[in-house]
Amino acid sequence: MFSWKDYKFRCYNFRLLLYISCLSVIGILVIGSATNYDGRETKQMICFLVGLAVMLFLSVVDYHFVLKFYWIFYLINLALLIVVEIIGRTSGGAQRWIPLGGIGIQPSELCKMLLTLFFAKFFQMFQEKVNSIKILGIAVLLFLMPLALVLHQPDLSSSIVIACLFASIVYVAGLSYLIIGGLCFVGVPVFAFLVYKILQPNQNIIIPYQKNRIFGFLYQNATAEEAAKRGLDLNLINSINYQQKNSVLAIGSGQLFGKGLANNTVASVKNGNFLSQPETDFIFAIVGEELGFVGSALVILLLLFIVLECLWVAKNAKDLSGKIIAAGMGAWIAFQSFFNIGVAIWILPNTGLPLPFVSYGMSSLFSLMIGIGVLLNVSIQRELTFKEVLYNDED
């Protein structure tokens, strides 16, 4: 039975609230500069303020009560992913958005939050049977259904993040190291074989534009002779790498302190319109160019601090569902940040993922704020550390 006495308001995670607010404000400012203040920064600011209000409200709503609706969350998730297949808006060869008035809802972003809440309750109910074939099989089946719908959009990058998120959740739920070892023993050779097949000329595992991005990344410095030898189109490779080359150029040109927000410098990658989607996929390039190394480091540190706070809450959560919510949020933010920044600095093939709390995208920001709101409630019901117990006794 829930009691207000379970809430330790002195443990309210104001640090996490501060990090998220600072990062979101930086995002709003950079979005405005990236889009020449065409109104998208205003939409992002409104979404942040509404999301902040929802987050603060959820932070005082018992997360056990929220998790009672876990099947509703799962069905809503499936419904949205099916609706996008039927009436979704297509852009860039992918059908990922549900048009709603002047905005678009991206179900693949909501999917990450809804699956985290669903599996937090699911594994809490079966925590003594996590390693049974039956429970693991049901969990994998329930995971594969939304994953297949996201893959079909197609949205390979979000699918990878969702897969990493699920793997993190299952690990936190208590998956046996024996099973993990077995999965690695089978999975690594299978993955290597799939990579080998994907790199073959007539493969049909992934669609052409995804294959082109991978080839463009692997053979980014290929000469005309090497490209011809491998049966590749050098012009296509250069076209694919165009965005990432300009992204690296933009980040490097910012030097230590950057060129300033909304600058009118002629020698600017952003001002020359050499980046497509600068407010979303390549927002980190704008941060690097306009805020320099200092601004880029600040963004990375804030993301790191948010992830560490999530893991701290997970470590001290009072039950498994709280641990999964906190660890799931940390994994989501960590993996998505790594993939987005990795693309911007050209250590990964080009994908289409937003940078958490920074990129323009109301579905992404609002989903994150909802998830953090539930996590904040986990934090004020967490187990006190030994030092905190001593401090309370002294009071």
Side-chain angles (χ1 to χ4, degrees):
M1 182 68 68
F2 167 72
S3 170
W4 284 101
K5 293 180 180 179
D6 295 333
Y7 283 6
K8 306 173 184 69
F9 284 103
R10 68 166 52 189
C11 298
Y12 198 95
N13 202 323
F14 289 103
R15 293 189 306 274
L16 181 58
L17 196 59
L18 176 64
Y19 300 150
I20 288 171
S21 297
C22 290
L23 196 57
S24 298
V25 169
I26 291 172
I28 292 166
L29 293 173
V30 176
I31 289 167
S33 180
T35 58
N36 295 316
Y37 299 95
D38 64 356
R40 273 175 279 193
E41 78 287 349
T42 303
K43 291 180 181 179
Q44 188 81 352
M45 181 175 63
I46 292 171
C47 182
F48 167 67
L49 293 175
V50 173
L52 185 63
V54 173
M55 181 178 71
L56 293 174
F57 170 74
L58 288 174
S59 72
V60 295
V61 176
D62 183 22
Y63 68 93
H64 300 99
F65 172 76
V66 173
L67 294 181
K68 287 182 179 180
F69 305 98
Y70 72 114
W71 272 113
I72 294 177
F73 297 150
Y74 185 81
L75 294 175
I76 288 174
N77 184 30
L78 283 184
L80 288 173
L81 291 171
I82 292 171
V83 168
V84 80
E85 293 279 345
I86 301 171
I87 62 169
R89 188 180 78 236
T90 301
S91 177
Q95 191 170 337
R96 301 176 186 171
W97 296 269
I98 298 174
L100 185 64
I103 61 174
I105 298 174
Q106 190 172 356
S108 59
E109 288 299 317
L110 293 167
C111 177
K112 299 161 191 172
M113 180 269 297
L114 293 172
L115 281 182
T116 300
L117 296 178
F118 172 79
F119 282 115
K121 179 65 175 181
F122 179 86
F123 285 118
Q124 172 74 42
M125 294 173 60
F126 299 105
Q127 58 181 314
E128 302 299 329
K129 302 178 181 178
V130 169
N131 293 299
S132 73
I133 299 299
K134 179 181 178 181
I135 297 303
L136 275 179
I138 293 172
V140 170
L141 180 63
L142 291 170
F143 158 69
L144 287 177
M145 285 192 285
L147 181 71
L149 290 169
V150 174
L151 268 172
H152 190 259
Q153 292 178 1
D155 193 347
L156 180 61
S157 51
S158 287
S159 300
I160 293 172
V161 172
I162 292 170
C164 292
L165 173 60
F166 179 72
S168 302
I169 288 172
V170 176
Y171 174 78
V172 173
L175 187 64
S176 166
Y177 282 102
L178 185 63
I179 296 177
I180 293 174
L183 290 173
C184 290
F185 182 76
V186 175
V188 171
V190 171
F191 177 75
F193 177 74
L194 285 175
V195 171
Y196 169 76
K197 292 295 290 182
I198 287 170
L199 295 179
Q200 301 309 304
N202 298 317
Q203 67 84 35
N204 56 5
I205 299 174
I206 58 176
I207 60 180
Y209 93 87
Q210 293 170 341
K211 179 187 174 183
N212 290 336
R213 286 184 173 185
I214 294 172
F215 271 75
F217 174 77
L218 291 176
Y219 304 109
Q220 54 193 255
N221 297 315
T223 63
E225 182 180 349
E226 290 172 332
K229 183 178 179 181
R230 298 179 183 276
L232 304 174
D233 185 339
L234 187 61
N235 291 328
L236 179 60
I237 290 175
N238 291 333
S239 174
I240 291 168
N241 292 331
Y242 178 77
Q243 295 292 329
Q244 288 176 283
K245 284 181 180 178
N246 287 331
S247 175
V248 172
L249 179 63
I251 293 170
S253 69
Q255 299 185 29
L256 187 59
F257 295 108
K259 300 172 182 176
L261 292 169
N263 68 81
N264 56 5
T265 305
V266 175
S268 165
V269 175
K270 184 209 75 177
N271 293 340
N273 294 320
F274 294 120
L275 283 173
S276 65
Q277 307 297 328
E279 75 282 7
T280 53
D281 302 350
F282 287 97
I283 193 73
F284 192 75
I286 307 302
V287 172
E289 183 174 64
E290 302 200 336
L291 300 180
F293 174 80
V294 173
S296 300
L298 177 61
V299 167
I300 292 173
L301 284 174
L302 286 171
L303 287 166
L304 176 61
F305 291 158
I306 290 170
V307 172
L308 291 177
E309 290 294 338
C310 291
L311 297 180
W312 171 255
V313 174
K315 179 178 180 294
N316 295 287
K318 70 177 184 179
D319 56 24
L320 181 59
S321 60
K323 290 181 185 296
I324 290 176
I325 290 169
M329 289 302 301
W332 172 10
I333 295 167
F335 283 116
Q336 191 150 314
S337 299
F338 172 74
F339 288 129
N340 179 279
I341 295 175
V343 168
I345 62 177
W346 211 3
I347 63 170
L348 293 173
N350 197 350
T351 61
L353 286 169
L355 185 60
F357 302 106
V358 182
S359 291
Y360 174 72
M362 287 172 277
S363 296
S364 174
L365 181 59
F366 199 68
S367 299
L368 286 164
M369 300 294 265
I370 291 174
I372 293 295
V374 180
L375 181 145
L376 285 170
N377 185 262
V378 175
S379 75
I380 60 176
Q381 296 193 60
R382 66 178 175 81
E383 298 292 342
L384 292 176
T385 64
F386 180 69
K387 186 182 292 186
E388 288 170 333
V389 170
L390 289 178
Y391 181 77
N392 286 341
D393 290 341
E394 289 175 2
D395 288 348

